[in-house]
Amino acid sequence: MSGVVPTAPEQPTDERENQIKSPDPRPDAPPDYNSHFIPGPPGPVIPVPAGYPGGLPVGYYSPQQPCAFPSYQLRAGIHPIQYQPGKYHMPNQPVPIPWMPGPALLPNCPPGLEYLTQLDSIHVLQHFEPLEMMTSFETNNRYDIKNNLDQMVYIVTEDTDDFTRNAYRTLRPFVLRVTDCMGREIMTMQRPFRCTCCCLCCPSARQELEVQCPPGVTIGFVAEHWNLCRAVYSIQNEKKDNVMRVR
């Protein structure tokens, strides 16, 4: 018949589904990058340096070895370096404190004061207290006593309670404890409370510091004197006799 249009033969259902689905963009396997690799000429053989009878030094490896990072053990007496030596220390590492070498014991000298016989000057450095700066809450003061070589001689710590420090502020009574490099308390300084509400010329209104060395044995006092223009102090012995004057 002339009015019948011929049609294409019917395809199976599986073939038609494969033609409708888009091809998977992901490859089945990664490309072979080594297929186009052209090996170059072999490099020179590195000789073993002189002075290493056991082979290359620790931390080096030979290109002939199959493993790029061979396993090795440190020899006895060798410790791994934790950080690069230099001026600055890594965090969480204790910073060493240089202490002044301890002098020999001297006769007729209180124990612990032999350091002062070798010094002509000392530096008193107060520790910075961030809590006190931010909140105005008085904390125990701490001081470092150093020599001219920046070596630690003594450590001075204040021993007072929180109420006394914050109630009386600069007029508070306090106790200062001086310790050496061994942590021994070699000197104690005590200042009692003195009311300054009355006239400054009154002896009961002037400050006085008692010095004990060793702790419990009084060796002198530091007494304040009334002066209209400047602060004047006197160094006294255990009998409160004036020995020196400080302005």
Side-chain angles (χ1 to χ4, degrees):
M1 298 176 61
S2 60
V4 178
V5 180
T7 58
E10 295 184 359
Q11 299 179 356
T13 306
D14 296 339
E15 294 182 1
R16 285 184 297 177
E17 291 179 357
N18 293 337
Q19 292 179 0
I20 295 174
K21 291 184 179 180
S22 59
D24 190 1
R26 295 174 299 178
D28 297 337
D32 188 7
Y33 293 101
N34 296 327
S35 59
H36 304 288
F37 174 74
I38 301 177
V45 179
I46 301 177
V48 178
Y52 296 93
L56 292 177
V58 174
Y60 291 84
Y61 65 93
S62 175
Q64 285 79 16
Q65 295 180 355
C67 180
F69 298 94
S71 59
Y72 59 89
Q73 296 180 354
L74 294 177
R75 291 174 294 177
I78 299 179
H79 302 281
I81 299 177
Q82 300 292 339
Y83 54 88
Q84 187 69 20
K87 180 180 178 181
Y88 304 100
H89 296 271
M90 293 293 292
N92 301 328
Q93 292 289 340
V95 180
I97 300 177
W99 283 86
M100 178 180 175
L105 299 179
L106 299 177
N108 301 326
C109 180
L113 298 187
E114 300 88 357
Y115 295 91
L116 301 180
T117 60
Q118 302 181 358
L119 301 176
D120 55 358
S121 63
I122 58 175
H123 301 270
V124 182
L125 307 176
Q126 183 178 2
H127 284 238
F128 174 72
E129 301 292 343
L131 180 62
E132 185 174 342
M133 296 295 295
M134 293 185 297
T135 62
S136 298
F137 181 84
E138 287 285 344
T139 58
N140 280 325
N141 293 327
R142 295 180 300 167
Y143 306 89
D144 292 342
I145 310 299
K146 296 185 178 183
N147 57 11
N148 292 330
L149 301 178
D150 201 31
Q151 295 176 336
M152 194 80 70
V153 182
Y154 302 117
I155 294 179
V156 183
T157 56
E158 180 184 358
D159 186 6
T160 55
D161 59 274
D162 296 338
F163 174 78
T164 302
R165 289 194 309 270
N166 291 273
Y168 298 95
R169 295 287 177 171
T170 57
L171 298 178
R172 64 181 181 265
F174 60 78
V175 176
L176 297 179
R177 305 188 185 277
V178 183
T179 56
D180 59 358
C181 62
M182 303 297 295
R184 300 173 300 181
E185 183 177 350
I186 63 173
M187 184 185 301
T188 303
M189 293 176 282
Q190 302 182 25
R191 189 185 76 171
F193 172 74
R194 294 293 176 88
C195 180
T196 58
C197 299
C198 58
C199 181
L200 295 178
C201 61
C202 180
S204 61
R206 295 194 289 264
Q207 299 290 348
E208 183 181 70
L209 181 72
E210 179 184 357
V211 181
Q212 300 177 1
C213 184
V217 180
T218 302
I219 62 173
F221 298 86
V222 180
E224 180 185 16
H225 297 278
W226 182 83
N227 192 285
L228 184 61
C229 301
R230 62 174 65 92
V232 179
Y233 303 90
S234 63
I235 309 299
Q236 302 174 347
N237 58 13
E238 69 278 4
K239 299 180 182 180
K240 292 192 175 182
D241 298 329
N242 293 337
V243 179
M244 292 179 289
R245 182 175 289 267
V246 181
R247 291 194 304 174

